[in-house]
Amino acid sequence: MLLPCLLTACSDNDEPDGDMRGKHVIEFSQPFVNHASRAVGLSKDNLTEFTIYGYVHRPDSYIFEGETVRKQSDGQWICDRTEYWYPGQTYYFTGIAPVDSKSIQFTPALKGNGTMPGGGSITYNVSSSKGQEDLIYAFETVRMPDPLPEEYVKKVEMKFNHLLSKIEFAFYNDLVSPYYFINVNWLQIDNAYSVGTINKAVRNAKWEPDGAATTYIGVGAVPYIHTDKPSVSPPVYILPIYHGGMSVMIKTQVFEAKEPFGNEGFDITGEQTINVDFPPIDLMEGRAYKIICHLKPSNVEGDAGPLRPISFTIEEQPWQQDIDVETKE
């Protein structure tokens, strides 16, 4: 797409041509992913592609409309569409990953003048992703000098931030004996918001829920929880919104091993189901939360009477250390 067709401010004398055009191709550098956490998720190390949107001067003058920027074998980042720098113009770029996700919908900003905080709105569908997809976003502004030097080379540096909240569960076996191990046969979050939208084209943007909080998110199984160390669940990614009615379902079973800390043995309880209120956390984007669960005789052994529920408290820490949520009887 040639820029003069989009911008009346660019005359024929302004646009690069011939050899000059080849020297002023828009290129992208190695992206930076901020707030990368220790668990699975998109990071600078595993990001290999992202979707790019870009406009010049005003949001209805798009030059990139959902093309893909991919990392090459030599470490260079190449877009599957070629566009060029023009002197004196300001460019606005939006990057989103993962690419081709059915859970993510981006609506570009269509009107307005001047600098904007972001290039459009993002809708994330937790029901579609089943909580398994991270979401990162970048918005960068680049202004070209005028005149544009013949040997000018500028690569767009995309600085991505995580837009969701990451949740993990850490289970501690408090049964004392090294012969006893616990399996969490199934773990899921219930009554979560399924769809949310954030409009990054306005300042102080926040996620807003769309519809009722009726979605469940399967976290999975956490087997072989021994008394010597905790076992951590796979992470899930949810909307950073206050979920007032969200809860957690935990299915546990206790086994006696043939040898201390072994994984082979026989079951000594049936499967027990505990339903727990999720802690009242005002979840924030780009934050990681670890739910710490102490499994004790009172909440995993059902033969002696009704199970005592697990309740939660929360301890906030700086982002670099993740945020731990402690459970107590």
Side-chain angles (χ1 to χ4, degrees), residues 50 89 94 130 143 207 211 230 293 316 322:
F50 60 89
Q89 297 299 320
T94 296
K130 302 186 185 304
R143 176 156 182 89
W207 283 96
C293 304
E316 294 217 18
D322 290 355

Side-chain angles (χ1 to χ4, degrees), residues 244-274:
M246 197 160 63
S247 61
V248 181
M249 183 179 71
I250 307 171
K251 292 182 176 291
T252 65
Q253 192 168 12
V254 182
F255 293 80
E256 183 174 349
K258 297 177 180 178
E259 56 187 21
F261 307 113
N263 293 336
E264 294 184 4
F266 57 90
D267 60 281
I268 59 175
T269 72
E271 184 177 80
Q272 311 295 331
T273 300
I274 308 172

Side-chain angles (χ1 to χ4, degrees), residues 56-209:
V56 185
H57 182 60
R58 62 180 188 264
D60 55 356
S61 299
Y62 267 84
I63 56 173
F64 294 117
E65 299 183 83
E67 282 72 33
T68 301
V69 180
R70 294 184 175 87
K71 186 176 183 178
Q72 308 300 304
S73 58
D74 61 358
Q76 299 297 311
W77 289 79
I78 304 297
C79 183
D80 55 17
R81 174 175 177 170
T82 301
E83 289 292 343
Y84 301 88
W85 298 117
Y86 288 78
Q89 297 299 320
T90 301
Y91 293 72
Y92 303 88
F93 298 97
T94 296
I96 298 174
V99 172
D100 296 330
S101 170
K102 296 181 180 180
S103 307
I104 302 168
Q105 178 182 347
F106 177 70
T107 303
L110 297 179
K111 60 183 179 179
N113 294 307
T115 301
M116 301 180 67
S121 63
I122 302 171
T123 298
Y124 183 81
N125 191 316
V126 179
S127 298
S128 177
S129 72
K130 302 186 185 304
Q132 302 303 306
E133 286 187 346
D134 194 3
L135 169 60
I136 57 175
Y137 165 89
F139 182 75
E140 300 295 337
T141 302
V142 180
R143 176 156 182 89
M144 288 293 101
D146 188 6
L148 198 61
E150 181 177 350
E151 299 296 331
Y152 186 83
V153 177
K154 174 66 178 179
K155 291 189 176 183
V156 183
E157 299 177 1
M158 304 296 291
K159 298 180 179 64
F160 287 89
N161 286 289
H162 294 267
L163 289 189
L164 302 176
S165 296
K166 185 190 73 176
I167 306 293
E168 292 177 309
F169 293 82
F171 290 96
Y172 287 79
N173 180 345
D174 290 348
L175 299 185
V176 181
S177 173
Y179 286 91
Y180 291 157
F181 68 89
I182 304 171
N183 284 352
V184 171
N185 295 331
W186 184 248
L187 173 66
Q188 75 180 43
I189 298 173
D190 291 321
N191 300 321
Y193 283 110
S194 60
V195 180
T197 298
I198 185 169
N199 184 4
K200 300 297 281 188
V202 300
R203 299 191 184 280
N204 302 317
K206 293 183 178 181
W207 283 96
E208 298 293 340

